[in-house]
Amino acid sequence: MVERFLGQTQAPIQTRHTRPGQLRDGCCRRRPSSSTSGRRDAAIQDLRRGTQLAELLRQQVELIPEPNRRDAAVANVGEISMALESSLSILQSGMVSEVGEVGMAAPAAAATYSSDGGTGVSRNGGPVVSRTRRVRHRRARHGAELPIIKEILTEAPENDCFHWRKYGEKKILNDEHPRLYYKCGYSDDHKCPAKKYVQQQSNNDPPLFMVTLINEHTCDTLFRDEPNSSSASQVLDFTKAPPLSHPLIAATPWLKKEEEEESTSVTLATTHWLRTWAVLQRPEHQALVLEASQRLGKYRRVDATA
DNA sequence: GCGATTTGACCGTC
DNA sequence: GACGGTCAAATCGC
């Protein structure tokens, strides 16, 4: 029996437990729709397909024998997955609330949370109302503002492919759940400044967590090869990804200016996906993409004959 | 034995 | 003084 992917609910894809071959039949390209909701649905379908492909790619890069390059590649694919899931959240919520500065190296930019106590929407479509809370400016010990890279509402706060070490836990005033403090597992070895705070936001099943990421990782760049290295091809580098105005976006017919105000979230979400896709199209990544495609084709044939 | 986690104390900011 | 963030000793688990 061929399981349908598009017919699944909007529950998040549990990438950690997805095995090779689980990519569902039916995730073929959507047809552009003239309506805004149709375009939104189409974008959601594409993003889901992208998430499946990212998982497939992750399984491929995990076969890289060299631990350092493998970890860096897995981390980058994790960023892809986070970008896609964030984009899905945007589309399913119909609202966008960007927090902080987002660099090209971290395409999972958009969050479904506003730090002023606004509302978000869970990935299964239900509204998430965050309590009004006092938000203090986060400052480093010596008074400097901590750069918040992004805030993400997620059901899987651990699922970002980075190695974190917990260093504290604190009961926060007027919050039911404690805040957990993590720093990069390489903070000592490589002086990586990345940190993240995780706080449960709801008692839903599964619960939702607000993840606040502080500082960019520098540890993964240490693992990257030099530009002239012949072995650099298996490391995805988002710093070279095309800008938002890339022709790929302009060439997407269902993102024309009409109904612009309603298509903003579609555009943003699709931008993340197009950027991801454009990176994967780069020649140095073609070997991985080709292998993933071949495996995908094999699994589809298995599904089709099942 | 070693690395990760826990948790109370401490520190800086407001 | 209250609060959030971090430290570091104690503890846990493999």
Side-chain angles (χ1 to χ4, degrees):
Chain A
M1 176 179 175
V2 178
E3 294 182 69
R4 293 182 59 219
F5 170 61
L6 292 180
Q8 289 176 337
T9 68
Q10 295 180 355
I13 295 164
Q14 299 298 317
T15 55
R16 282 199 164 189
H17 306 296
T18 306
R19 296 191 307 273
Q22 281 190 308
L23 201 64
R24 304 297 185 218
D25 192 17
C27 56
C28 52
R29 287 215 165 276
R30 83 284 172 269
R31 290 285 170 267
S33 168
S34 59
S35 70
T36 300
S37 61
R39 291 202 303 271
R40 183 186 300 273
D41 291 343
I44 289 173
Q45 291 171 18
D46 262 1
L47 287 166
R48 284 179 179 161
R49 179 171 179 268
T51 305
Q52 295 283 318
L53 287 169
E55 168 60 15
L56 201 58
L57 183 59
R58 185 189 65 77
Q59 291 161 6
Q60 295 303 306
V61 301
E62 281 185 346
L63 299 177
I64 297 173
E66 301 91 329
N68 288 351
R69 288 173 53 210
R70 181 181 63 236
D71 290 347
V74 167
N76 280 320
V77 176
E79 288 284 348
I80 293 174
S81 295
M82 287 181 65
L84 294 168
E85 291 181 12
S86 294
S87 300
L88 272 170
S89 295
I90 295 168
L91 286 175
Q92 289 165 5
S93 68
M95 63 175 289
V96 175
S97 174
E98 297 243 17
V99 178
E101 176 182 330
V102 178
M104 292 295 286
T112 58
Y113 172 80
S114 59
S115 58
D116 59 358
T119 59
V121 175
S122 73
R123 269 178 282 170
N124 60 11
V128 175
V129 181
S130 56
R131 291 180 298 276
T132 300
R133 60 173 183 168
R134 193 166 68 88
V135 178
R136 299 173 64 173
H137 279 295
R138 292 186 174 88
R139 293 181 183 277
R141 248 186 147 66
H142 301 292
E145 285 279 350
L146 287 172
I148 299 176
I149 302 304
K150 57 194 170 191
E151 289 183 320
I152 298 171
L153 198 59
T154 177
E155 293 161 359
E158 79 287 356
N159 192 15
D160 60 5
C161 295
F162 283 105
H163 172 51
W164 298 102
R165 181 161 50 92
K166 187 179 177 182
Y167 68 90
E169 178 176 333
K170 194 77 172 181
K171 178 78 178 73
I172 301 301
L173 188 70
N174 294 330
D175 272 317
E176 181 179 355
H177 305 285
R179 182 174 298 165
L180 311 180
Y181 299 89
Y182 297 87
K183 61 175 68 173
C184 177
Y186 303 105
S187 61
D188 297 330
D189 294 347
H190 301 305
K191 304 287 186 273
C192 179
K195 295 178 185 176
K196 77 172 178 181
Y197 308 149
V198 176
Q199 187 158 20
Q200 187 172 336
Q201 295 285 304
S202 73
N203 291 316
N204 294 352
D205 186 24
L208 284 161
F209 298 87
M210 174 57 59
V211 178
T212 304
L213 298 173
I214 310 290
N215 290 324
E216 298 261 17
H217 279 277
T218 58
C219 52
D220 61 333
T221 58
L222 293 173
F223 296 146
R224 287 186 179 149
D225 296 314
E226 292 301 315
N228 292 333
S229 168
S230 61
S231 61
S233 61
Q234 292 185 355
V235 178
L236 305 181
D237 183 0
F238 279 94
T239 63
K240 300 183 183 68
L244 296 180
S245 58
H246 192 271
L248 269 171
I249 298 170
T252 309
W254 46 283
L255 283 178
K256 287 181 179 175
K257 294 273 289 181
E258 64 219 17
E259 297 175 283
E260 193 171 20
E261 70 286 352
E262 289 192 53
S263 66
T264 298
S265 59
V266 176
T267 304
L268 184 62
T270 308
T271 294
H272 289 316
W273 167 238
L274 287 175
R275 184 187 297 162
T276 301
W277 183 247
V279 170
L280 292 175
Q281 291 299 299
R282 295 176 61 208
E284 59 266 38
H285 300 144
Q286 284 304 292
L288 281 173
V289 174
L290 179 61
E291 188 175 352
S293 299
Q294 288 171 342
R295 294 204 173 208
L296 173 61
K298 182 177 71 176
Y299 296 137
R300 276 179 171 165
R301 281 193 295 275
V302 169
D303 278 348
T305 56

